[in-house]
Amino acid sequence: MMLKEKQNLTGWGFLAPATLMIAVMSFYPMFRALILSFKTGIGTGMTWSGLYNYTRMFQDGVFMQALKNNFIYLIIQVPIMLILALVLATMLNDRSLKCKGLFRTAIFLPCATSLVSYAIIFRSLFAVDGFFNTFLVKAGILETGYNFLGNPTSARIVIILALIWRWTGYNMVFYLSGLQNIEYSVYEAAKIDGASPFTIFWKITAPLLKPTILLTAIISTNGTLQLFDESVNLTNGGPANSTITMSHYIYNMSFKYVPNFGYAAAMSFLILILVAVLAFVQMKVGDKRD
Amino acid sequence: MKRKVMAIVLATAMAAGLTGCGAASAPTEVKTETETEAATQTAAAGENTLTVWCWDPAFNIYAMEQAGEIYQESHPEFTLNVIETPATDAQTKLTTAATSGDLSTLPDIILINDSAFQKNVISYPDVFVDLTDSGIDFTKFGPAKVTNSVVNGKNYGVPFDNGAVVNAIRTDVIQEAGYTIDDFTDITWDNYITLGKDVLAKTGKPMLSMQAGESDLVSMILQSAGGSMFDAEGNPTIVNNELLVKAMDVYAELVKSGVLVEVNDWDQYVGGLTSGNVASVINGCWILASVQTAEDQAGNWAVTDMPKLDGVEGATNYSNNGGSSWGITTNCKDTALAFDFMASTFAGSVQLYETILPKSGALATYLPAADSEVYGEGQEFFGGQPIYATITEFAGKVPSINTGVYYYEARDAVSTALSNVIAGADINAELKNAQDTVSFQMGK
């Protein structure tokens, strides 16, 4: 009994510093932000307004547009990226493949570039006189450069392409590590039974990787809903707010426009709620263990 | 197998490490901030010292340092401490200091963009010192410029650089089409579009370029006719604003006729000028610094006034875009010193403006400076034209308007409307949307 108590105390002793740090550096600010989200006003002149900010955002045309944009990115980009990552991981996991390290590094490398610089590079690639337009004109496909970033649909497609380029390798690494936990003999047995590569992928790889797929789905959902750099640096939210994200609008509300931190905090909490709800749904749908 | 697992674990760890690298820039930032803080505090402790935040070594920092030297001549014990702080950083630091209530991190004098000045004074009323009775003579500045830093009838800023709009034209290109700079002087937008189409047809070059989705040119046209997106009380007047509709019509016509090409970002905009792909530029006179980087075009540029709106009473050929003003913070321990410093340099010394002009091109809004000989000197890049005297003269004629506290909100909303109108939407419906958006963001 005494020993157990002592051990317990030691355990708590080790936990205490980290817990304290998280509480002070993370939970306390979050709590203050929550309080802030119930206030409204300009700059430092804040007054209590109850749930006003939370009802206000649903009448805010720009915020609703941003919410819609975020969901467009989420619904289109995340599945494409995850499937691509899974396919690449399966291919790289093949034992007969040569130069595995090279491919792996090449696919993972985009993820090590700075968010701002890659966004700017994509912007210049898709400029009217940029690389892609020059290529398309020289190849005779287009007569004059197409303004990719000047048209709502194509601007969104460019952002989605950029996101896929940047994040596929990151998710692939998770899948690769997940794949290491699947016994190779299972694959050999399946091959002997005459299973096609597609069947192997569908019946063995996908089900056994389920926990990892779930993890990446939640991370990607979270990341997409908080998207900021691409919207700011690649398209600046344009044309006509067709690519602006929620985080970008929250930033504008705090630092570009006449600051209303209460409203900005309330919008941030909506993102938190959305991420939590989506993660919960994904866990319910994806995890059948209990 | 085990080794492979190990490799993957290490790879993941490396991945985590790399992500860590991305985030590792934060400490450096903190370091500069603490450095700045230390500097600020020493400055506040010492007497006869003023600390200043501004951002451009070739421009406003240089001007401030020169002002310090001039002031030292009569006050040898005076020291000036200029800290390079980019405009966006200054805004973030100001926001942090004001919202936390700890103003001790702020400098004595801070440079702020004119378009953000009223916003900051209204959002953080405790931060700025009222300069109305400080002994600074505000009548010596262009009235439109002074308005930018006036809140509730009180002066909070000392005007600095000039954002008077210039119409800078490649004389060699228009000559090819058979025109001279005089054909573009004191004209209306209808004349301009006719001339522009002709230049485009004969040389293949559009007259103007503009960043797509930016309402800058529309705002400039609006102000040139004395119009604003806000009334005197600060209420948005975007919907049913006849001048705004006319300004947007002009812009749409410019785009449709090909006289104006839209580009996606600032680099392409400046690139178009320096590479000679467009024949002219209409913008705040600070754009001339970028124009002059194209040394091979020296002598081929000339400056004139912008076109005015047709059939509008009170329309002029003068407008404003950009510029900045000095504010004095409440963290300043010795406001008498700060007042005297500003009154005897930026608001009282023609010599200062004569010193800074040739090297930095920092154009004054201080009207007496325009009579100076230095301002009257011909500039080689502009074919010997005394552009600085010309622009200072323009600045005095800019209609004074209320740009509004909610300037950035209105600008973004009108930009959205503009993009949609160019894409074919109905102008009145779009302006109604823009008005609703701004009213909503103002909480009305």
Side-chain angles (χ1 to χ4, degrees), chain B residues 10-321:
Chain B
L10 284 176
T12 327
M14 201 184 79
L18 284 169
T19 332
C21 282
S25 56
T28 358
E29 228 177 79
V30 175
K31 200 182 150 211
T32 35
E33 237 153 64
T34 38
E35 273 171 14
T36 319
E37 237 158 68
T40 312
Q41 269 154 16
T42 41
E47 276 178 33
N48 267 316
T49 299
L50 291 174
T51 308
V52 183
W53 284 357
C54 44
W55 55 81
D56 191 339
F59 190 57
N60 45 47
I61 292 181
Y62 172 74
M64 201 21 133
E65 280 168 350
Q66 292 305 313
E69 277 176 27
I70 286 177
Y71 195 66
Q72 268 162 357
E73 283 170 16
S74 53
H75 302 76
E77 72 285 12
F78 173 77
T79 45
L80 186 75
N81 181 17
V82 182
I83 298 168
E84 183 176 344
T85 316
T88 43
D89 288 10
Q91 179 69 60
T92 315
K93 285 180 177 179
L94 182 67
T95 305
T96 312
T99 47
S100 68
D102 176 15
L103 300 180
S104 65
T105 52
L106 293 176
D108 300 303
I109 297 171
I110 183 167
L111 187 66
I112 296 181
N113 276 322
D114 284 338
S115 46
F117 211 108
Q118 293 187 343
K119 174 187 92 175
N120 279 312
V121 173
I122 284 178
S123 304
Y124 315 117
D126 303 337
V127 173
F128 296 92
V129 176
D130 177 6
L131 306 177
T132 319
D133 303 316
S134 59
I136 293 165
D137 186 0
F138 291 99
T139 58
K140 293 261 175 67
F141 293 94
K145 171 77 183 180
V146 177
T147 318
N148 290 317
S149 54
V150 173
V151 175
N152 295 330
K154 290 176 182 159
N155 288 93
Y156 286 93
V158 179
F160 174 50
D161 68 311
N162 197 320
V165 170
V166 292
N167 180 6
I169 299 180
R170 282 280 299 274
T171 45
D172 53 334
V173 175
I174 56 169
Q175 199 178 3
E176 214 178 301
Y179 297 107
T180 66
I181 188 79
D182 292 334
D183 294 314
F184 285 86
T185 304
D186 295 331
I187 58 169
T188 68
W189 278 106
D190 280 356
N191 304 144
Y192 185 87
I193 291 169
T194 319
L195 294 175
K197 281 181 187 165
D198 197 34
V199 172
L200 181 66
K202 285 181 183 156
T203 67
K205 282 183 182 169
M207 287 302 291
L208 293 171
S209 62
M210 214 62 214
Q211 264 180 285
E214 294 282 354
S215 56
D216 281 21
L217 185 59
V218 170
S219 301
M220 287 183 249
I221 300 174
L222 190 61
Q223 183 171 3
S224 74
S228 169
M229 296 175 201
F230 296 94
D231 63 16
E233 282 78 48
N235 300 308
T237 53
I238 295 169
V239 80
N240 297 330
N241 185 334
E242 220 177 291
L243 291 176
L244 183 56
V245 172
K246 282 199 169 161
M248 284 174 80
D249 278 341
V250 166
Y251 189 86
E253 180 61 31
L254 284 168
V255 174
K256 217 171 68 189
S257 60
V259 175
L260 183 151
V261 285
E262 290 194 305
V263 295
N264 285 317
D265 57 46
W266 185 254
D267 297 341
Q268 287 178 44
Y269 177 67
V270 173
L273 299 176
T274 50
S275 66
N277 287 336
V278 287
S280 78
V281 58
I282 294 179
N283 213 330
C285 59
W286 39 264
I287 193 69
L288 296 178
S290 303
V291 169
Q292 289 178 72
T293 55
E295 281 164 17
D296 56 320
Q297 297 168 11
N300 290 335
W301 283 88
V303 170
T304 185
D305 50 13
M306 69 183 282
K308 69 175 181 183
L309 277 178
D310 294 85
V312 175
E313 206 181 316
T316 72
N317 295 84
Y318 312 99
S319 189
N320 188 79
N321 190 33

Side-chain angles (χ1 to χ4, degrees), chain A residues 66-83:
Chain A
L67 185 71
K68 194 180 113 194
N69 294 341
N70 269 115
F71 273 91
I72 290 173
Y73 298 144
L74 181 70
I75 291 164
I76 299 177
Q77 186 257 338
V78 172
I80 296 178
M81 174 182 71
L82 293 187
I83 290 169

Side-chain angles (χ1 to χ4, degrees), chain A residues 67-269:
Chain A
L67 185 71
K68 194 180 113 194
N69 294 341
N70 269 115
F71 273 91
I72 290 173
Y73 298 144
L74 181 70
I75 291 164
I76 299 177
Q77 186 257 338
V78 172
I80 296 178
M81 174 182 71
L82 293 187
I83 290 169
L84 209 62
L86 201 52
V87 170
L88 286 170
T90 319
M91 283 162 67
L92 284 179
N93 203 39
D94 189 338
R95 291 200 166 174
S96 53
L97 187 73
K98 290 206 175 87
C99 301
K100 237 183 283 187
L102 179 75
F103 292 128
R104 214 182 284 167
T105 316
I107 296 168
F108 181 72
L109 216 53
C111 177
T113 53
S114 143
L115 287 167
V116 176
S117 44
Y118 105 91
I120 291 172
I121 289 168
F122 264 80
R123 189 178 70 195
S124 65
L125 280 179
F126 286 95
V128 181
D129 53 356
F131 174 80
F132 279 101
N133 272 315
T134 313
F135 175 79
L136 290 173
V137 170
K138 289 258 153 73
I141 299 168
L142 287 179
E143 283 212 4
T144 53
Y146 182 73
N147 194 353
F148 286 103
L149 300 174
N151 177 303
T153 314
S154 56
R156 283 182 188 143
I157 292 173
V158 170
I159 287 203
I160 288 171
L161 280 177
L163 285 171
I164 291 174
W165 180 83
R166 175 71 168 71
W167 293 107
T168 303
Y170 179 75
N171 289 294
M172 185 197 73
V173 171
F174 283 100
Y175 293 143
L176 268 176
S177 75
L179 284 172
Q180 307 314 307
N181 292 325
I182 303 174
E183 273 300 327
Y184 203 69
S185 53
V186 182
Y187 288 112
E188 281 173 338
K191 269 184 198 158
I192 290 165
D193 288 346
S196 70
F198 183 75
T199 322
I200 292 176
F201 177 80
W202 204 241
K203 298 271 173 172
I204 302 173
T205 314
L208 287 175
L209 267 184
K210 214 171 193 175
T212 320
I213 294 174
L214 187 63
L215 172 79
T216 52
I218 291 173
I219 293 178
S220 309
T221 308
N222 188 4
T224 312
L225 287 182
Q226 295 183 30
L227 210 64
F228 177 74
D229 300 66
E230 290 79 1
S231 171
V232 173
N233 296 306
L234 221 169
T235 58
N236 197 16
N241 289 334
S242 61
T243 59
I244 195 170
T245 64
M246 290 188 283
S247 297
H248 187 176
Y249 186 59
I250 291 170
Y251 174 86
N252 282 351
M253 198 44 94
S254 311
F255 296 105
K256 186 177 176 190
Y257 298 162
V258 175
N260 186 341
F261 296 107
Y263 186 42
M267 290 192 285
S268 312
F269 269 95

Side-chain angles (χ1 to χ4, degrees), chain A residues 267-285:
Chain A
M267 290 192 285
S268 312
F269 269 95
L270 183 80
I271 297 186
L272 177 80
I273 294 166
L274 284 174
V275 169
V277 168
L278 287 174
F280 181 77
V281 170
Q282 285 166 342
M283 266 150 79
K284 278 290 156 208
V285 172

